[in-house]
Amino acid sequence: VRADNRAFVEKVRRLVKRADKIYKRDVKELPTIHFHRHLYQPLLVTDSHERVQATPPALNEGERKFVSDLRAYVRSRKTSFESIEVFLLRNLSRGKGIGLFESGGEAFYPDFILWIIQDAQQRIAFIDPHGLRYAEGGFNDPKIHLHKELKILEPTLQRLSAKWQIHLTSFIISPSHYDEIRKTFGEGRNSKEEFEDNNVLFNEDPEYVGKLFHKMLSC
């Protein structure tokens, strides 16, 4: 927090002392978003006044919407999640977080890691909410193609664990509208189903979180 903004510094200090608030609910003053399935609290949201620097970086609007939509989905289906454990982790930034290496050698640091634990199975998804306007390679874009590469790694990872059956996948959550992105991908690839088959979901779709869970649980 910028030291020269004394009024804001004092406001943050008061919030930290009131831990029941900052760690248990959304706080507008910073601002934060609270999701009890996230592995640490609080999650900071990008401040339009740029008064805060955070590690990992504060959530942008697309990332905030994903956490909010995921939270709403889990809350609305409490009975369904009684036998399923769900954990979310905001990944650290480049050089500090969990990086996945693409074929070109450049590391990709997805924004979130989502775990679903049920019985003796761990299902792990690397999730990146970002636009696809520059994905000129279409479905061969390395970040989109990652979910297929992860499947190749599953047997190697499985040999390290006798206790768990492990499943890996990845998703791109596009804040860009479907009608915009289909033009980038070419006229021959216009159906939403083809995007979904390649684990690209659109956050304008009110069912996108449900589709994400369905794909994770069936992989």
Side-chain angles (χ1 to χ4, degrees), residues 1-19:
V1 178
R2 291 180 59 90
D4 58 0
N5 192 339
R6 295 183 180 179
F8 184 62
V9 169
E10 289 304 316
K11 184 179 293 186
V12 171
R13 283 176 177 162
R14 289 195 297 270
L15 284 170
V16 171
K17 289 178 180 178
R18 297 169 58 190

Side-chain angles (χ1 to χ4, degrees), residues 4 14 19-21 26 35 45 48 59 93 128 130 134 138 140 155 162 165-166 185 189 193 198 211:
D4 58 0
R14 289 195 297 270
D20 61 325
K21 181 176 181 180
D26 293 358
F35 179 37
V45 177
S48 60
L59 307 184
S93 55
D128 205 53
H130 80 273
Y134 302 107
N140 290 320
Q165 183 70 36
I166 299 171
F185 278 61
R189 291 170 170 163
E193 288 74 17
N198 285 275
K211 291 176 180 179

